[in-house]
Amino acid sequence: MASLGPTSGIGRPPAGAAGSALTIGVAVTVPEPFGSAIQDARAGHGDPQARAIPTHVTLLPPTEVAAERLPEVRAHLAAVAAARRPFRMLLHGSDTFRPVSPVVFIRVEEGSQECRELEAAIRSGPLARELAFPYHPHVTVAHNLPDLVLDQALADARSFHAAFTVPGFTLSRFGADEVWRPWHGYAFSGH
């Protein structure tokens, strides 16, 4: 299994985690220069989470996992990645989940079916859980901000366009400082 991105602490629970729970998430990381451009836009709209969450397409939302289950979770994610091949992703245009949720996002125009298949495979076995909303691949550009700011974010992101190959996905963990950090990358190796 090849690694993608930072690998600090891979293979073992974080210090002091024995018997405790961790909050993890799994996502497709939006590569540079697109990731920083979206993060800068998010910060420009005053979104306080802009720098705490790397730019991504969620495959598994924040999920609490017992530290002792991490080997099982990692094996599950490795098996999911091993069965998949890289795919093309096209991010283009903007949309919103309002009025259901105060979120403005960039649309996944190509690669959404692959994300749906990945999400279903990842959210099974040791990571089986219910979702608060039906899964919809997207990249958040503004969240929980006043309506006028969300309207501006929607207009600003309307012309966004990025195309890239998705080589795998990333397991991240939520820190005590409320920042999401990549923890381990899983490269697709299916044929």
Side-chain angles (χ1 to χ4, degrees), residues 91-115:
L91 304 177
H92 182 73
S94 60
D95 207 342
T96 182
F97 291 130
R98 293 183 291 173
V100 175
S101 180
V103 174
V104 170
F105 60 89
I106 294 171
R107 294 189 319 253
V108 177
E109 290 289 320
E110 189 176 333
S112 61
Q113 183 58 39
E114 290 88 345
C115 286

Side-chain angles (χ1 to χ4, degrees), residues 15-114:
S20 64
L22 303 169
T23 300
I24 63 167
V26 179
V28 168
T29 301
V30 175
E32 295 303 331
F34 312 117
S36 289
I38 295 169
Q39 208 169 35
D40 290 348
R42 193 168 178 172
H45 293 297
D47 190 328
Q49 297 180 332
R51 303 290 181 207
I53 305 171
T55 306
H56 67 282
V57 175
T58 299
L59 297 172
L60 178 76
T63 301
E64 194 170 281
V65 174
E68 59 270 12
R69 295 199 67 202
L70 286 175
E72 179 186 6
V73 166
R74 284 193 297 267
H76 171 68
L77 293 174
V80 170
R84 302 296 187 285
R85 287 190 279 199
F87 61 93
R88 177 179 149 84
M89 181 169 282
L90 172 63
L91 304 177
H92 182 73
S94 60
D95 207 342
T96 182
F97 291 130
R98 293 183 291 173
V100 175
S101 180
V103 174
V104 170
F105 60 89
I106 294 171
R107 294 189 319 253
V108 177
E109 290 289 320
E110 189 176 333
S112 61
Q113 183 58 39
E114 290 88 345

Side-chain angles (χ1 to χ4, degrees), residues 113-174:
Q113 183 58 39
E114 290 88 345
C115 286
R116 284 183 181 87
E117 291 168 6
L118 272 171
E119 184 273 341
I122 289 168
R123 195 174 46 87
S124 67
L127 293 174
R129 58 163 289 184
E130 294 296 319
L131 297 178
F133 301 102
Y135 180 70
H136 182 90
H138 67 281
V139 178
T140 299
V141 292
H143 182 234
N144 271 347
L145 298 171
D147 281 339
L148 287 175
V149 176
L150 292 174
D151 291 343
Q152 186 62 52
L154 183 67
D156 291 350
R158 194 161 280 134
S159 63
F160 186 86
H161 181 91
F164 52 90
T165 298
V166 176
F169 54 79
T170 303
L171 168 65
S172 296
R173 70 178 185 214
F174 189 62

